[in-house]
Amino acid sequence: MTNESEDQPATGETKFSHQVGEKAARKLKAQRHATRTVWSGLGMMGLVGWSVAVPTLLGAAIGVWLDKHYPSSHSWTLMLLAIGLGLGCFNAWHWVAKEDREMHEQEKDSHE
């Protein structure tokens, strides 16, 4: 919703200069938002990468240790690697969903 007073030029201001001022303000806001989005996107990629890699590697390392100390007919390494990968993917999905919710809430708040 826009306020009707925002759509009208101020006293002594032409309609054209008012429109130019609004467009400039929108452009500056978009540029600030784009910069923030790029950095937050890179940060999110790192977070997602680590949240998948750490449980996967941890599961594989524990599996190797178990295979070395407690050999069996089943591979602990493969089993714990798969479990770690599953947990890592779930963790990454959780972070991405949380960021998506926060972005939508910020957009909703900025439009009000």
Side-chain angles (χ1 to χ4, degrees):
M1 293 181 154
T2 59
N3 191 354
E4 196 171 307
S5 65
E6 292 175 358
D7 294 336
Q8 300 298 323
T11 306
E13 184 180 36
T14 66
K15 187 175 181 179
F16 176 72
S17 64
H18 179 71
Q19 288 174 344
V20 169
E22 283 183 338
K23 285 185 181 183
R26 282 195 303 266
K27 187 174 182 178
L28 288 172
K29 183 179 177 182
Q31 286 174 343
R32 284 192 303 268
H33 183 30
T35 302
R36 187 173 53 236
T37 303
V38 168
W39 286 111
S40 65
L42 289 173
M44 181 56 64
M45 284 189 337
L47 179 66
V48 168
W50 282 109
S51 67
V52 173
V54 168
T56 302
L57 294 175
L58 192 61
I62 292 170
V64 167
W65 184 84
L66 285 172
D67 279 340
K68 185 186 286 187
H69 290 87
Y70 303 101
S72 71
S73 60
H74 300 292
S75 173
W76 285 106
T77 303
L78 289 176
M79 182 174 51
L80 291 177
L81 178 97
I83 290 171
L85 181 62
L87 287 173
C89 289
F90 177 76
N91 194 18
W93 171 78
H94 169 74
W95 280 107
V96 170
K98 180 181 174 188
E99 284 293 316
D100 186 52
R101 275 193 309 273
E102 288 177 6
M103 283 176 28
H104 280 40
E105 286 174 7
Q106 286 176 356
E107 286 177 11
K108 182 181 171 186
D109 291 342
S110 69
H111 289 316
E112 291 180 355

PDB file of all heavy atoms in Angstrom, residues 63-76:
ATOM      1  N   GLY A  63      33.222 -44.080  10.489  1.00  0.00           N
ATOM      2  CA  GLY A  63      33.079 -45.383   9.836  1.00  0.00           C
ATOM      3  C   GLY A  63      34.412 -46.066   9.587  1.00  0.00           C
ATOM      4  O   GLY A  63      34.552 -47.281   9.804  1.00  0.00           O
ATOM      5  N   VAL A  64      35.412 -45.323   9.154  1.00  0.00           N
ATOM      6  CA  VAL A  64      36.756 -45.889   8.945  1.00  0.00           C
ATOM      7  C   VAL A  64      37.312 -46.395  10.269  1.00  0.00           C
ATOM      8  O   VAL A  64      37.879 -47.493  10.342  1.00  0.00           O
ATOM      9  CB  VAL A  64      37.696 -44.832   8.307  1.00  0.00           C
ATOM     10  CG1 VAL A  64      39.146 -45.284   8.365  1.00  0.00           C
ATOM     11  CG2 VAL A  64      37.275 -44.546   6.877  1.00  0.00           C
ATOM     12  N   TRP A  65      37.141 -45.599  11.326  1.00  0.00           N
ATOM     13  CA  TRP A  65      37.637 -46.019  12.636  1.00  0.00           C
ATOM     14  C   TRP A  65      36.924 -47.293  13.096  1.00  0.00           C
ATOM     15  O   TRP A  65      37.568 -48.218  13.614  1.00  0.00           O
ATOM     16  CB  TRP A  65      37.426 -44.891  13.648  1.00  0.00           C
ATOM     17  CG  TRP A  65      37.993 -45.207  14.997  1.00  0.00           C
ATOM     18  CD1 TRP A  65      39.274 -45.035  15.401  1.00  0.00           C
ATOM     19  CD2 TRP A  65      37.277 -45.774  16.103  1.00  0.00           C
ATOM     20  NE1 TRP A  65      39.404 -45.456  16.700  1.00  0.00           N
ATOM     21  CE2 TRP A  65      38.191 -45.912  17.163  1.00  0.00           C
ATOM     22  CE3 TRP A  65      35.961 -46.165  16.308  1.00  0.00           C
ATOM     23  CZ2 TRP A  65      37.846 -46.430  18.389  1.00  0.00           C
ATOM     24  CZ3 TRP A  65      35.610 -46.681  17.545  1.00  0.00           C
ATOM     25  CH2 TRP A  65      36.537 -46.817  18.563  1.00  0.00           C
ATOM     26  N   LEU A  66      35.585 -47.341  12.922  1.00  0.00           N
ATOM     27  CA  LEU A  66      34.842 -48.538  13.318  1.00  0.00           C
ATOM     28  C   LEU A  66      35.248 -49.759  12.491  1.00  0.00           C
ATOM     29  O   LEU A  66      35.376 -50.864  13.025  1.00  0.00           O
ATOM     30  CB  LEU A  66      33.328 -48.298  13.192  1.00  0.00           C
ATOM     31  CG  LEU A  66      32.697 -47.430  14.278  1.00  0.00           C
ATOM     32  CD1 LEU A  66      31.245 -47.118  13.923  1.00  0.00           C
ATOM     33  CD2 LEU A  66      32.769 -48.118  15.621  1.00  0.00           C
ATOM     34  N   ASP A  67      35.449 -49.557  11.178  1.00  0.00           N
ATOM     35  CA  ASP A  67      35.871 -50.680  10.320  1.00  0.00           C
ATOM     36  C   ASP A  67      37.237 -51.209  10.741  1.00  0.00           C
ATOM     37  O   ASP A  67      37.495 -52.411  10.672  1.00  0.00           O
ATOM     38  CB  ASP A  67      35.903 -50.253   8.854  1.00  0.00           C
ATOM     39  CG  ASP A  67      34.535 -50.266   8.203  1.00  0.00           C
ATOM     40  OD1 ASP A  67      33.627 -50.945   8.723  1.00  0.00           O
ATOM     41  OD2 ASP A  67      34.372 -49.588   7.168  1.00  0.00           O
ATOM     42  N   LYS A  68      38.111 -50.304  11.166  1.00  0.00           N
ATOM     43  CA  LYS A  68      39.458 -50.727  11.574  1.00  0.00           C
ATOM     44  C   LYS A  68      39.420 -51.456  12.924  1.00  0.00           C
ATOM     45  O   LYS A  68      40.093 -52.474  13.100  1.00  0.00           O
ATOM     46  CB  LYS A  68      40.374 -49.508  11.684  1.00  0.00           C
ATOM     47  CG  LYS A  68      41.819 -49.870  11.995  1.00  0.00           C
ATOM     48  CD  LYS A  68      42.665 -48.639  12.246  1.00  0.00           C
ATOM     49  CE  LYS A  68      42.943 -47.924  10.948  1.00  0.00           C
ATOM     50  NZ  LYS A  68      43.907 -46.806  11.132  1.00  0.00           N
ATOM     51  N   HIS A  69      38.636 -50.981  13.867  1.00  0.00           N
ATOM     52  CA  HIS A  69      38.622 -51.552  15.210  1.00  0.00           C
ATOM     53  C   HIS A  69      37.576 -52.644  15.419  1.00  0.00           C
ATOM     54  O   HIS A  69      37.737 -53.495  16.292  1.00  0.00           O
ATOM     55  CB  HIS A  69      38.424 -50.443  16.250  1.00  0.00           C
ATOM     56  CG  HIS A  69      39.609 -49.552  16.378  1.00  0.00           C
ATOM     57  ND1 HIS A  69      39.796 -48.449  15.582  1.00  0.00           N
ATOM     58  CD2 HIS A  69      40.699 -49.618  17.190  1.00  0.00           C
ATOM     59  CE1 HIS A  69      40.929 -47.861  15.899  1.00  0.00           C
ATOM     60  NE2 HIS A  69      41.501 -48.553  16.882  1.00  0.00           N
ATOM     61  N   TYR A  70      36.497 -52.610  14.664  1.00  0.00           N
ATOM     62  CA  TYR A  70      35.418 -53.595  14.799  1.00  0.00           C
ATOM     63  C   TYR A  70      34.990 -54.090  13.417  1.00  0.00           C
ATOM     64  O   TYR A  70      33.913 -53.748  12.934  1.00  0.00           O
ATOM     65  CB  TYR A  70      34.210 -52.988  15.532  1.00  0.00           C
ATOM     66  CG  TYR A  70      34.544 -52.442  16.885  1.00  0.00           C
ATOM     67  CD1 TYR A  70      34.715 -51.074  17.089  1.00  0.00           C
ATOM     68  CD2 TYR A  70      34.702 -53.294  17.979  1.00  0.00           C
ATOM     69  CE1 TYR A  70      35.030 -50.572  18.336  1.00  0.00           C
ATOM     70  CE2 TYR A  70      35.016 -52.793  19.229  1.00  0.00           C
ATOM     71  CZ  TYR A  70      35.189 -51.439  19.404  1.00  0.00           C
ATOM     72  OH  TYR A  70      35.496 -50.938  20.641  1.00  0.00           O
ATOM     73  N   PRO A  71      35.828 -54.885  12.772  1.00  0.00           N
ATOM     74  CA  PRO A  71      35.489 -55.353  11.415  1.00  0.00           C
ATOM     75  C   PRO A  71      34.228 -56.219  11.432  1.00  0.00           C
ATOM     76  O   PRO A  71      33.970 -56.960  12.377  1.00  0.00           O
ATOM     77  CB  PRO A  71      36.708 -56.159  10.992  1.00  0.00           C
ATOM     78  CG  PRO A  71      37.557 -56.336  12.188  1.00  0.00           C
ATOM     79  CD  PRO A  71      37.074 -55.415  13.260  1.00  0.00           C
ATOM     80  N   SER A  72      33.416 -56.058  10.379  1.00  0.00           N
ATOM     81  CA  SER A  72      32.211 -56.863  10.239  1.00  0.00           C
ATOM     82  C   SER A  72      31.961 -57.104   8.751  1.00  0.00           C
ATOM     83  O   SER A  72      32.704 -56.634   7.889  1.00  0.00           O
ATOM     84  CB  SER A  72      31.010 -56.157  10.877  1.00  0.00           C
ATOM     85  OG  SER A  72      30.637 -55.041  10.115  1.00  0.00           O
ATOM     86  N   SER A  73      30.896 -57.828   8.459  1.00  0.00           N
ATOM     87  CA  SER A  73      30.592 -58.114   7.059  1.00  0.00           C
ATOM     88  C   SER A  73      30.002 -56.886   6.359  1.00  0.00           C
ATOM     89  O   SER A  73      29.981 -56.823   5.136  1.00  0.00           O
ATOM     90  CB  SER A  73      29.612 -59.289   6.966  1.00  0.00           C
ATOM     91  OG  SER A  73      28.407 -58.955   7.642  1.00  0.00           O
ATOM     92  N   HIS A  74      29.527 -55.926   7.111  1.00  0.00           N
ATOM     93  CA  HIS A  74      28.975 -54.694   6.541  1.00  0.00           C
ATOM     94  C   HIS A  74      29.972 -53.556   6.726  1.00  0.00           C
ATOM     95  O   HIS A  74      30.701 -53.506   7.707  1.00  0.00           O
ATOM     96  CB  HIS A  74      27.652 -54.324   7.213  1.00  0.00           C
ATOM     97  CG  HIS A  74      26.599 -55.379   7.072  1.00  0.00           C
ATOM     98  ND1 HIS A  74      26.017 -55.694   5.872  1.00  0.00           N
ATOM     99  CD2 HIS A  74      26.040 -56.193   7.986  1.00  0.00           C
ATOM    100  CE1 HIS A  74      25.130 -56.650   6.047  1.00  0.00           C
ATOM    101  NE2 HIS A  74      25.130 -56.993   7.345  1.00  0.00           N
ATOM    102  N   SER A  75      29.983 -52.638   5.780  1.00  0.00           N
ATOM    103  CA  SER A  75      30.914 -51.512   5.840  1.00  0.00           C
ATOM    104  C   SER A  75      30.326 -50.370   6.670  1.00  0.00           C
ATOM    105  O   SER A  75      29.338 -49.745   6.277  1.00  0.00           O
ATOM    106  CB  SER A  75      31.215 -51.008   4.422  1.00  0.00           C
ATOM    107  OG  SER A  75      31.971 -49.828   4.484  1.00  0.00           O
ATOM    108  N   TRP A  76      30.943 -50.120   7.823  1.00  0.00           N
ATOM    109  CA  TRP A  76      30.545 -48.990   8.639  1.00  0.00           C
ATOM    110  C   TRP A  76      30.800 -47.685   7.898  1.00  0.00           C
ATOM    111  O   TRP A  76      30.035 -46.724   8.020  1.00  0.00           O
ATOM    112  CB  TRP A  76      31.322 -48.976   9.953  1.00  0.00           C
ATOM    113  CG  TRP A  76      30.881 -49.997  10.939  1.00  0.00           C
ATOM    114  CD1 TRP A  76      31.530 -51.148  11.268  1.00  0.00           C
ATOM    115  CD2 TRP A  76      29.696 -49.960  11.731  1.00  0.00           C
ATOM    116  NE1 TRP A  76      30.825 -51.847  12.215  1.00  0.00           N
ATOM    117  CE2 TRP A  76      29.681 -51.123  12.520  1.00  0.00           C
ATOM    118  CE3 TRP A  76      28.653 -49.076  11.861  1.00  0.00           C
ATOM    119  CZ2 TRP A  76      28.681 -51.415  13.415  1.00  0.00           C
ATOM    120  CZ3 TRP A  76      27.633 -49.349  12.761  1.00  0.00           C
ATOM    121  CH2 TRP A  76      27.654 -50.513  13.523  1.00  0.00           C
TER     122      TRP A  76
END
